[in-house]
Amino acid sequence: MTERYYDKGIAPKLTLGCPHCRAGARFESLYGDLPLPVMLADGKNGTKLSWAGRLSCLVCGLNRTHEVDWPREAFYQVAYRGEILWAFDRAMMVDTLAYLTAGADRDAVRRNSPYATRLLRLPKTFLAAKARETLAAKIEALLARG
């Protein structure tokens, strides 16, 4: 995945997979609106983003401080051709689906999204016409379950 996709500054509220029940759990940063990611060097897997916050799951009742391994723990993520398409939360994944399937109207969809900057930085692997149908099906299935 490209570094531009990660960029700087992460949303202060995320939806993560609950470590106990795998349902969508709410994560809120301990550092305010734009937590600064801590860059951890990992020779095997490249660079990872990690930071601390509060994790709460409405399904199993989990409520604790948690350090996130982003985007590995993202609840809203789909794999395609060896890469992961992730979203901070459901709203971002819905906007990503609309953007990917918009075709010629892609710019209009992006301009109307609060995630416009993030949509511009999606890797080309996900934007290719041949990826559209597969990604749309995977995203729709993900949105249907959570």
Side-chain angles (χ1 to χ4, degrees), residues 55-124:
L55 184 65
S56 305
C57 179
L58 295 175
V59 175
C60 71
L62 177 76
N63 188 12
R64 70 175 192 202
T65 301
H66 181 76
E67 187 160 325
V68 177
D69 182 3
W70 187 262
R72 190 180 65 75
E73 292 182 314
F75 181 73
Y76 291 103
Q77 63 172 286
V78 293
Y80 178 75
R81 302 194 87 169
E83 295 193 55
I84 301 294
L85 174 65
W86 53 260
F88 296 141
D89 54 23
R90 181 181 183 82
M92 184 177 176
M93 189 56 89
V94 168
D95 282 4
T96 301
L97 175 61
Y99 183 71
L100 293 174
T101 58
D105 296 331
R106 207 174 257 173
D107 282 340
V109 170
R110 180 188 49 80
R111 281 193 299 271
N112 292 321
S113 172
Y115 305 102
T117 304
R118 300 290 175 179
L119 295 175
L120 273 176
R121 293 187 173 125
L122 288 173
K124 292 182 189 216

Side-chain angles (χ1 to χ4, degrees), residues 78 80 85 93 96-98 100-101 126 130-143:
V78 293
Y80 178 75
L85 174 65
M93 189 56 89
T96 301
L97 175 61
L100 293 174
T101 58
F126 303 131
K130 62 185 175 185
R132 238 177 251 148
E133 189 176 319
T134 303
L135 278 173
K138 287 182 175 191
I139 292 170
E140 287 168 357
L142 175 63
L143 293 172

